[in-house]
Amino acid sequence: MARRTQDPNEMSFLDHLEELRWHLIRSTMAVVIVGLVAFLMKDFIFDTIIFGPKKMDFPTYRLFCRIATNLGFESAFCADSLPFTIQNRTMAGQFSAHIWTSIWAGFIVGFPYVLWEVWRFISPGLYEKERKYSKGFILVASLLFFMGVLFGYYVVAPLSINFLGTYQVSQEVQNEIDISSFISTVRASVIACGIMFELPIIIFFLTKVGLVTPVILRKYRKIALVLVLILSAVITPPDVASQIIVAVPVLILYQVSIYISSYVLKREAKSKKAHEQPR
């Protein structure tokens, strides 16, 4: 094992590699431990969470059904069941689905700890003034991630499943969806939205390193709007209502990112002015 020096700033390259290795090991162990708990909770993970959006008593479906009923419209969200079945086509398909779903559950639940390990690795290279905001950074980043996960699970996933599961090119073709395909749809919706909601954090760091400014963000706002609508069309059913539901929070996050970028630059300018003043 490489020997660590007392001053983190004087650590050699091998010391940094050794430090990184232990951060990765601890992060992996945390994901594995939480994943093991998820593995033992198979019935809850699959019947309640994974296959929840397949049942028409899912909260999202009930909400949209109630809205449509109050407006006097007929809605597919008021149906008794979704017209497709989930099946397994490979010998190890269900076992593999169990393993990988548990690992992803471990990553999602253990995300704050993984983020904390990442911060512990990079924080020695920051100024003392920047390090004192570490707890706030981890809290905000974790909160945004879980908000994105919930948005993906309760909005994007059920809308996608409801549309794709009921879509038919012909009455001759029945939807018999493989378990891996169904789980990947739920997983992609959840993980993608979780990462997407980290936009303010990403903009914060890009502003700190000088790659992004509020002027740039405002200048390319229209282009960002188009990209958001394209992204919404990719991860949601091809109807306007679903795309707007997904696009609105992303646009809000983009606007918040502009304010964050402005705040960072103002603080840096104020700090620089304070240091330039004669004592």
Side-chain angles (χ1 to χ4, degrees):
M1 179 183 292
R3 181 179 63 85
R4 291 183 59 182
T5 59
Q6 294 297 322
D7 187 354
N9 294 323
E10 298 178 358
M11 291 173 64
S12 67
F13 178 72
L14 291 179
D15 289 328
H16 281 292
L17 287 181
E18 180 69 13
E19 186 75 8
L20 176 61
R21 184 172 75 92
W22 280 106
H23 285 300
L24 292 176
I25 289 175
R26 287 191 291 267
S27 298
T28 303
M29 288 180 61
V31 172
V32 170
I33 291 173
V34 179
L36 179 60
V37 175
F39 185 86
L40 298 175
M41 300 174 62
K42 180 180 67 174
D43 293 341
F44 174 75
I45 293 295
F46 282 91
D47 294 339
T48 303
I49 297 180
I50 299 297
F51 297 135
K54 185 184 180 300
K55 304 170 184 176
M56 293 309 297
D57 61 351
F58 194 68
T60 305
Y61 300 146
R62 295 204 308 266
L63 175 62
F64 286 147
C65 176
R66 190 178 301 114
I67 293 174
T69 301
N70 292 335
L71 294 176
F73 298 118
E74 293 184 1
S75 174
F77 294 111
C78 298
D80 295 329
S81 62
L82 291 173
F84 69 87
T85 58
I86 300 176
Q87 58 182 345
N88 174 52
R89 296 179 179 273
T90 60
M91 185 65 72
Q94 295 197 55
F95 183 71
S96 297
H98 191 187
I99 293 291
W100 282 107
T101 299
S102 300
I103 293 175
W104 280 108
F107 171 77
I108 292 173
V109 177
F111 179 79
Y113 181 81
V114 174
L115 193 64
W116 183 62
E117 287 290 348
V118 172
W119 184 261
R120 287 182 60 193
F121 177 72
I122 66 175
S123 61
L126 302 177
Y127 294 108
E128 182 65 28
K129 185 178 180 180
E130 296 172 328
R131 282 200 296 268
K132 70 179 183 179
Y133 295 108
S134 61
K135 293 183 180 180
F137 159 74
I138 295 171
L139 176 63
V140 172
S142 299
L143 181 62
L144 289 172
F145 178 77
F146 287 127
M147 287 174 60
V149 166
L150 291 175
F151 181 79
Y153 180 71
Y154 283 104
V155 178
V156 179
L159 290 178
S160 300
I161 291 170
N162 185 276
F163 173 78
L164 298 175
T166 58
Y167 186 83
Q168 287 181 291
V169 295
S170 170
Q171 294 296 327
E172 298 295 326
V173 183
Q174 301 299 317
N175 286 329
E176 298 176 349
I177 301 172
D178 190 76
I179 184 174
S180 61
S181 177
F182 183 89
I183 293 176
S184 66
T185 299
V186 178
R187 181 181 64 239
S189 301
V190 168
I191 298 297
C193 289
I195 295 175
M196 188 169 60
F197 271 57
E198 295 290 342
L199 180 62
I201 300 295
I202 296 173
I203 294 298
F204 173 85
F205 283 105
L206 291 179
T207 303
K208 292 287 288 185
V209 299
L211 295 178
V212 169
T213 65
V215 176
I216 293 176
L217 293 175
R218 293 190 181 98
K219 180 180 179 181
Y220 295 102
R221 195 201 308 265
K222 294 181 180 179
I223 297 178
L225 173 60
V226 174
L227 293 177
V228 167
L229 292 176
I230 293 175
L231 177 64
S232 302
V234 170
I235 66 177
T236 61
D239 62 87
V240 177
S242 300
Q243 294 174 17
I244 292 176
I245 290 173
V246 174
V248 167
V250 179
L251 293 176
I252 292 174
L253 289 172
Y254 188 86
Q255 186 61 41
V256 171
S257 299
I258 295 177
Y259 293 137
I260 290 176
S261 182
S262 300
Y263 174 76
V264 171
L265 291 183
K266 288 179 181 179
R267 283 188 61 89
E268 289 185 347
K270 185 177 180 180
S271 177
K272 183 178 179 180
K273 184 178 180 180
H275 283 87
E276 291 176 350
Q277 290 179 351
R279 299 181 179 177

PDB file of all heavy atoms in Angstrom, residues 8-32:
ATOM      1  N   PRO A   8      -2.255  16.657   2.176  1.00  0.00           N
ATOM      2  CA  PRO A   8      -2.863  16.109   0.969  1.00  0.00           C
ATOM      3  C   PRO A   8      -2.329  16.756  -0.298  1.00  0.00           C
ATOM      4  O   PRO A   8      -2.312  16.130  -1.350  1.00  0.00           O
ATOM      5  CB  PRO A   8      -4.360  16.404   1.148  1.00  0.00           C
ATOM      6  CG  PRO A   8      -4.538  16.546   2.624  1.00  0.00           C
ATOM      7  CD  PRO A   8      -3.269  17.149   3.120  1.00  0.00           C
ATOM      8  N   ASN A   9      -1.876  18.044  -0.192  1.00  0.00           N
ATOM      9  CA  ASN A   9      -1.357  18.734  -1.372  1.00  0.00           C
ATOM     10  C   ASN A   9      -0.011  18.177  -1.808  1.00  0.00           C
ATOM     11  O   ASN A   9       0.452  18.479  -2.904  1.00  0.00           O
ATOM     12  CB  ASN A   9      -1.232  20.233  -1.090  1.00  0.00           C
ATOM     13  CG  ASN A   9      -2.587  20.885  -0.868  1.00  0.00           C
ATOM     14  OD1 ASN A   9      -3.557  20.522  -1.523  1.00  0.00           O
ATOM     15  ND2 ASN A   9      -2.647  21.844   0.041  1.00  0.00           N
ATOM     16  N   GLU A  10       0.663  17.415  -0.960  1.00  0.00           N
ATOM     17  CA  GLU A  10       1.973  16.864  -1.278  1.00  0.00           C
ATOM     18  C   GLU A  10       1.905  15.378  -1.608  1.00  0.00           C
ATOM     19  O   GLU A  10       2.917  14.708  -1.697  1.00  0.00           O
ATOM     20  CB  GLU A  10       2.923  17.095  -0.100  1.00  0.00           C
ATOM     21  CG  GLU A  10       3.154  18.570   0.212  1.00  0.00           C
ATOM     22  CD  GLU A  10       4.069  18.763   1.414  1.00  0.00           C
ATOM     23  OE1 GLU A  10       4.468  17.719   1.998  1.00  0.00           O
ATOM     24  OE2 GLU A  10       4.379  19.898   1.753  1.00  0.00           O
ATOM     25  N   MET A  11       0.714  14.852  -1.785  1.00  0.00           N
ATOM     26  CA  MET A  11       0.564  13.443  -2.112  1.00  0.00           C
ATOM     27  C   MET A  11       1.119  13.165  -3.506  1.00  0.00           C
ATOM     28  O   MET A  11       0.930  13.949  -4.432  1.00  0.00           O
ATOM     29  CB  MET A  11      -0.914  13.032  -2.047  1.00  0.00           C
ATOM     30  CG  MET A  11      -1.492  13.036  -0.651  1.00  0.00           C
ATOM     31  SD  MET A  11      -3.281  12.727  -0.659  1.00  0.00           S
ATOM     32  CE  MET A  11      -3.308  11.059  -1.304  1.00  0.00           C
ATOM     33  N   SER A  12       1.792  12.030  -3.660  1.00  0.00           N
ATOM     34  CA  SER A  12       2.325  11.640  -4.953  1.00  0.00           C
ATOM     35  C   SER A  12       1.208  11.090  -5.830  1.00  0.00           C
ATOM     36  O   SER A  12       0.072  10.901  -5.389  1.00  0.00           O
ATOM     37  CB  SER A  12       3.412  10.576  -4.765  1.00  0.00           C
ATOM     38  OG  SER A  12       2.832   9.372  -4.263  1.00  0.00           O
ATOM     39  N   PHE A  13       1.543  10.807  -7.071  1.00  0.00           N
ATOM     40  CA  PHE A  13       0.558  10.259  -8.001  1.00  0.00           C
ATOM     41  C   PHE A  13       0.043   8.908  -7.513  1.00  0.00           C
ATOM     42  O   PHE A  13      -1.157   8.619  -7.575  1.00  0.00           O
ATOM     43  CB  PHE A  13       1.189  10.120  -9.381  1.00  0.00           C
ATOM     44  CG  PHE A  13       0.284   9.511 -10.403  1.00  0.00           C
ATOM     45  CD1 PHE A  13      -0.801  10.219 -10.908  1.00  0.00           C
ATOM     46  CD2 PHE A  13       0.504   8.213 -10.857  1.00  0.00           C
ATOM     47  CE1 PHE A  13      -1.648   9.654 -11.839  1.00  0.00           C
ATOM     48  CE2 PHE A  13      -0.351   7.647 -11.790  1.00  0.00           C
ATOM     49  CZ  PHE A  13      -1.421   8.362 -12.294  1.00  0.00           C
ATOM     50  N   LEU A  14       0.946   8.067  -6.992  1.00  0.00           N
ATOM     51  CA  LEU A  14       0.536   6.755  -6.480  1.00  0.00           C
ATOM     52  C   LEU A  14      -0.341   6.898  -5.239  1.00  0.00           C
ATOM     53  O   LEU A  14      -1.266   6.104  -5.026  1.00  0.00           O
ATOM     54  CB  LEU A  14       1.766   5.905  -6.167  1.00  0.00           C
ATOM     55  CG  LEU A  14       2.589   5.448  -7.374  1.00  0.00           C
ATOM     56  CD1 LEU A  14       3.795   4.634  -6.922  1.00  0.00           C
ATOM     57  CD2 LEU A  14       1.723   4.618  -8.327  1.00  0.00           C
ATOM     58  N   ASP A  15      -0.050   7.904  -4.432  1.00  0.00           N
ATOM     59  CA  ASP A  15      -0.893   8.159  -3.259  1.00  0.00           C
ATOM     60  C   ASP A  15      -2.310   8.529  -3.682  1.00  0.00           C
ATOM     61  O   ASP A  15      -3.285   8.081  -3.076  1.00  0.00           O
ATOM     62  CB  ASP A  15      -0.301   9.297  -2.406  1.00  0.00           C
ATOM     63  CG  ASP A  15       0.971   8.871  -1.694  1.00  0.00           C
ATOM     64  OD1 ASP A  15       1.070   7.684  -1.356  1.00  0.00           O
ATOM     65  OD2 ASP A  15       1.846   9.725  -1.487  1.00  0.00           O
ATOM     66  N   HIS A  16      -2.422   9.361  -4.730  1.00  0.00           N
ATOM     67  CA  HIS A  16      -3.740   9.749  -5.234  1.00  0.00           C
ATOM     68  C   HIS A  16      -4.484   8.532  -5.791  1.00  0.00           C
ATOM     69  O   HIS A  16      -5.701   8.399  -5.584  1.00  0.00           O
ATOM     70  CB  HIS A  16      -3.605  10.819  -6.316  1.00  0.00           C
ATOM     71  CG  HIS A  16      -3.362  12.182  -5.776  1.00  0.00           C
ATOM     72  ND1 HIS A  16      -4.308  12.880  -5.052  1.00  0.00           N
ATOM     73  CD2 HIS A  16      -2.264  12.993  -5.841  1.00  0.00           C
ATOM     74  CE1 HIS A  16      -3.823  14.066  -4.701  1.00  0.00           C
ATOM     75  NE2 HIS A  16      -2.589  14.151  -5.164  1.00  0.00           N
ATOM     76  N   LEU A  17      -3.762   7.665  -6.492  1.00  0.00           N
ATOM     77  CA  LEU A  17      -4.397   6.445  -7.014  1.00  0.00           C
ATOM     78  C   LEU A  17      -4.881   5.546  -5.880  1.00  0.00           C
ATOM     79  O   LEU A  17      -5.966   4.963  -5.955  1.00  0.00           O
ATOM     80  CB  LEU A  17      -3.413   5.676  -7.906  1.00  0.00           C
ATOM     81  CG  LEU A  17      -3.124   6.269  -9.282  1.00  0.00           C
ATOM     82  CD1 LEU A  17      -2.156   5.377 -10.042  1.00  0.00           C
ATOM     83  CD2 LEU A  17      -4.414   6.439 -10.079  1.00  0.00           C
ATOM     84  N   GLU A  18      -4.068   5.457  -4.843  1.00  0.00           N
ATOM     85  CA  GLU A  18      -4.463   4.638  -3.688  1.00  0.00           C
ATOM     86  C   GLU A  18      -5.691   5.228  -3.000  1.00  0.00           C
ATOM     87  O   GLU A  18      -6.616   4.505  -2.609  1.00  0.00           O
ATOM     88  CB  GLU A  18      -3.293   4.566  -2.703  1.00  0.00           C
ATOM     89  CG  GLU A  18      -3.571   3.740  -1.451  1.00  0.00           C
ATOM     90  CD  GLU A  18      -3.703   2.256  -1.736  1.00  0.00           C
ATOM     91  OE1 GLU A  18      -3.334   1.826  -2.852  1.00  0.00           O
ATOM     92  OE2 GLU A  18      -4.192   1.534  -0.852  1.00  0.00           O
ATOM     93  N   GLU A  19      -5.702   6.542  -2.869  1.00  0.00           N
ATOM     94  CA  GLU A  19      -6.846   7.223  -2.262  1.00  0.00           C
ATOM     95  C   GLU A  19      -8.102   7.000  -3.100  1.00  0.00           C
ATOM     96  O   GLU A  19      -9.184   6.698  -2.566  1.00  0.00           O
ATOM     97  CB  GLU A  19      -6.551   8.720  -2.151  1.00  0.00           C
ATOM     98  CG  GLU A  19      -7.608   9.514  -1.405  1.00  0.00           C
ATOM     99  CD  GLU A  19      -7.565   9.319   0.093  1.00  0.00           C
ATOM    100  OE1 GLU A  19      -6.606   8.687   0.574  1.00  0.00           O
ATOM    101  OE2 GLU A  19      -8.498   9.791   0.762  1.00  0.00           O
ATOM    102  N   LEU A  20      -7.975   7.140  -4.431  1.00  0.00           N
ATOM    103  CA  LEU A  20      -9.107   6.930  -5.323  1.00  0.00           C
ATOM    104  C   LEU A  20      -9.617   5.495  -5.236  1.00  0.00           C
ATOM    105  O   LEU A  20     -10.834   5.252  -5.240  1.00  0.00           O
ATOM    106  CB  LEU A  20      -8.706   7.256  -6.762  1.00  0.00           C
ATOM    107  CG  LEU A  20      -9.765   7.004  -7.843  1.00  0.00           C
ATOM    108  CD1 LEU A  20     -11.005   7.849  -7.592  1.00  0.00           C
ATOM    109  CD2 LEU A  20      -9.195   7.279  -9.229  1.00  0.00           C
ATOM    110  N   ARG A  21      -8.684   4.551  -5.140  1.00  0.00           N
ATOM    111  CA  ARG A  21      -9.072   3.144  -5.064  1.00  0.00           C
ATOM    112  C   ARG A  21      -9.954   2.874  -3.854  1.00  0.00           C
ATOM    113  O   ARG A  21     -10.978   2.190  -3.949  1.00  0.00           O
ATOM    114  CB  ARG A  21      -7.825   2.260  -5.012  1.00  0.00           C
ATOM    115  CG  ARG A  21      -8.132   0.766  -5.036  1.00  0.00           C
ATOM    116  CD  ARG A  21      -6.845  -0.024  -5.192  1.00  0.00           C
ATOM    117  NE  ARG A  21      -6.096  -0.046  -3.949  1.00  0.00           N
ATOM    118  CZ  ARG A  21      -6.213  -1.016  -3.021  1.00  0.00           C
ATOM    119  NH1 ARG A  21      -7.080  -2.004  -3.208  1.00  0.00           N
ATOM    120  NH2 ARG A  21      -5.496  -0.980  -1.932  1.00  0.00           N
ATOM    121  N   TRP A  22      -9.606   3.449  -2.711  1.00  0.00           N
ATOM    122  CA  TRP A  22     -10.387   3.207  -1.498  1.00  0.00           C
ATOM    123  C   TRP A  22     -11.743   3.905  -1.549  1.00  0.00           C
ATOM    124  O   TRP A  22     -12.736   3.392  -1.037  1.00  0.00           O
ATOM    125  CB  TRP A  22      -9.594   3.639  -0.260  1.00  0.00           C
ATOM    126  CG  TRP A  22      -8.590   2.594   0.127  1.00  0.00           C
ATOM    127  CD1 TRP A  22      -7.244   2.646  -0.048  1.00  0.00           C
ATOM    128  CD2 TRP A  22      -8.882   1.327   0.725  1.00  0.00           C
ATOM    129  NE1 TRP A  22      -6.667   1.493   0.409  1.00  0.00           N
ATOM    130  CE2 TRP A  22      -7.651   0.660   0.894  1.00  0.00           C
ATOM    131  CE3 TRP A  22     -10.051   0.698   1.122  1.00  0.00           C
ATOM    132  CZ2 TRP A  22      -7.560  -0.601   1.447  1.00  0.00           C
ATOM    133  CZ3 TRP A  22      -9.971  -0.573   1.682  1.00  0.00           C
ATOM    134  CH2 TRP A  22      -8.749  -1.207   1.839  1.00  0.00           C
ATOM    135  N   HIS A  23     -11.798   5.068  -2.186  1.00  0.00           N
ATOM    136  CA  HIS A  23     -13.097   5.727  -2.364  1.00  0.00           C
ATOM    137  C   HIS A  23     -14.009   4.886  -3.249  1.00  0.00           C
ATOM    138  O   HIS A  23     -15.208   4.751  -2.970  1.00  0.00           O
ATOM    139  CB  HIS A  23     -12.912   7.116  -2.979  1.00  0.00           C
ATOM    140  CG  HIS A  23     -12.380   8.138  -2.019  1.00  0.00           C
ATOM    141  ND1 HIS A  23     -13.043   8.494  -0.864  1.00  0.00           N
ATOM    142  CD2 HIS A  23     -11.235   8.888  -2.041  1.00  0.00           C
ATOM    143  CE1 HIS A  23     -12.338   9.411  -0.215  1.00  0.00           C
ATOM    144  NE2 HIS A  23     -11.243   9.666  -0.914  1.00  0.00           N
ATOM    145  N   LEU A  24     -13.444   4.323  -4.316  1.00  0.00           N
ATOM    146  CA  LEU A  24     -14.227   3.471  -5.205  1.00  0.00           C
ATOM    147  C   LEU A  24     -14.669   2.193  -4.501  1.00  0.00           C
ATOM    148  O   LEU A  24     -15.803   1.726  -4.699  1.00  0.00           O
ATOM    149  CB  LEU A  24     -13.408   3.127  -6.460  1.00  0.00           C
ATOM    150  CG  LEU A  24     -13.107   4.281  -7.413  1.00  0.00           C
ATOM    151  CD1 LEU A  24     -12.208   3.811  -8.545  1.00  0.00           C
ATOM    152  CD2 LEU A  24     -14.401   4.863  -7.972  1.00  0.00           C
ATOM    153  N   ILE A  25     -13.788   1.630  -3.684  1.00  0.00           N
ATOM    154  CA  ILE A  25     -14.139   0.404  -2.954  1.00  0.00           C
ATOM    155  C   ILE A  25     -15.275   0.662  -1.984  1.00  0.00           C
ATOM    156  O   ILE A  25     -16.245  -0.103  -1.906  1.00  0.00           O
ATOM    157  CB  ILE A  25     -12.901  -0.149  -2.208  1.00  0.00           C
ATOM    158  CG1 ILE A  25     -11.890  -0.721  -3.209  1.00  0.00           C
ATOM    159  CG2 ILE A  25     -13.308  -1.222  -1.195  1.00  0.00           C
ATOM    160  CD1 ILE A  25     -10.585  -1.174  -2.572  1.00  0.00           C
ATOM    161  N   ARG A  26     -15.189   1.769  -1.223  1.00  0.00           N
ATOM    162  CA  ARG A  26     -16.248   2.074  -0.258  1.00  0.00           C
ATOM    163  C   ARG A  26     -17.574   2.373  -0.959  1.00  0.00           C
ATOM    164  O   ARG A  26     -18.645   1.967  -0.493  1.00  0.00           O
ATOM    165  CB  ARG A  26     -15.829   3.249   0.631  1.00  0.00           C
ATOM    166  CG  ARG A  26     -14.760   2.896   1.662  1.00  0.00           C
ATOM    167  CD  ARG A  26     -14.590   4.014   2.671  1.00  0.00           C
ATOM    168  NE  ARG A  26     -13.986   5.187   2.069  1.00  0.00           N
ATOM    169  CZ  ARG A  26     -12.677   5.439   2.057  1.00  0.00           C
ATOM    170  NH1 ARG A  26     -11.836   4.563   2.618  1.00  0.00           N
ATOM    171  NH2 ARG A  26     -12.204   6.532   1.510  1.00  0.00           N
ATOM    172  N   SER A  27     -17.503   3.090  -2.090  1.00  0.00           N
ATOM    173  CA  SER A  27     -18.729   3.387  -2.843  1.00  0.00           C
ATOM    174  C   SER A  27     -19.362   2.106  -3.371  1.00  0.00           C
ATOM    175  O   SER A  27     -20.589   1.916  -3.282  1.00  0.00           O
ATOM    176  CB  SER A  27     -18.417   4.328  -4.013  1.00  0.00           C
ATOM    177  OG  SER A  27     -17.909   5.559  -3.557  1.00  0.00           O
ATOM    178  N   THR A  28     -18.521   1.221  -3.906  1.00  0.00           N
ATOM    179  CA  THR A  28     -19.028  -0.050  -4.431  1.00  0.00           C
ATOM    180  C   THR A  28     -19.630  -0.895  -3.326  1.00  0.00           C
ATOM    181  O   THR A  28     -20.686  -1.517  -3.507  1.00  0.00           O
ATOM    182  CB  THR A  28     -17.898  -0.826  -5.131  1.00  0.00           C
ATOM    183  OG1 THR A  28     -17.335  -0.022  -6.171  1.00  0.00           O
ATOM    184  CG2 THR A  28     -18.423  -2.119  -5.728  1.00  0.00           C
ATOM    185  N   MET A  29     -18.977  -0.926  -2.171  1.00  0.00           N
ATOM    186  CA  MET A  29     -19.507  -1.703  -1.050  1.00  0.00           C
ATOM    187  C   MET A  29     -20.862  -1.173  -0.606  1.00  0.00           C
ATOM    188  O   MET A  29     -21.770  -1.949  -0.278  1.00  0.00           O
ATOM    189  CB  MET A  29     -18.510  -1.677   0.118  1.00  0.00           C
ATOM    190  CG  MET A  29     -17.261  -2.498  -0.108  1.00  0.00           C
ATOM    191  SD  MET A  29     -16.118  -2.418   1.298  1.00  0.00           S
ATOM    192  CE  MET A  29     -17.127  -3.103   2.604  1.00  0.00           C
ATOM    193  N   ALA A  30     -21.015   0.153  -0.590  1.00  0.00           N
ATOM    194  CA  ALA A  30     -22.295   0.741  -0.198  1.00  0.00           C
ATOM    195  C   ALA A  30     -23.397   0.334  -1.175  1.00  0.00           C
ATOM    196  O   ALA A  30     -24.506  -0.038  -0.763  1.00  0.00           O
ATOM    197  CB  ALA A  30     -22.178   2.263  -0.140  1.00  0.00           C
ATOM    198  N   VAL A  31     -23.086   0.384  -2.484  1.00  0.00           N
ATOM    199  CA  VAL A  31     -24.071  -0.008  -3.498  1.00  0.00           C
ATOM    200  C   VAL A  31     -24.416  -1.486  -3.356  1.00  0.00           C
ATOM    201  O   VAL A  31     -25.587  -1.883  -3.448  1.00  0.00           O
ATOM    202  CB  VAL A  31     -23.531   0.287  -4.910  1.00  0.00           C
ATOM    203  CG1 VAL A  31     -24.455  -0.299  -5.976  1.00  0.00           C
ATOM    204  CG2 VAL A  31     -23.382   1.789  -5.121  1.00  0.00           C
ATOM    205  N   VAL A  32     -23.406  -2.324  -3.106  1.00  0.00           N
ATOM    206  CA  VAL A  32     -23.636  -3.763  -2.975  1.00  0.00           C
ATOM    207  C   VAL A  32     -24.472  -4.075  -1.738  1.00  0.00           C
ATOM    208  O   VAL A  32     -25.394  -4.904  -1.790  1.00  0.00           O
ATOM    209  CB  VAL A  32     -22.291  -4.512  -2.916  1.00  0.00           C
ATOM    210  CG1 VAL A  32     -22.505  -5.979  -2.530  1.00  0.00           C
ATOM    211  CG2 VAL A  32     -21.579  -4.430  -4.258  1.00  0.00           C
TER     212      VAL A  32
END
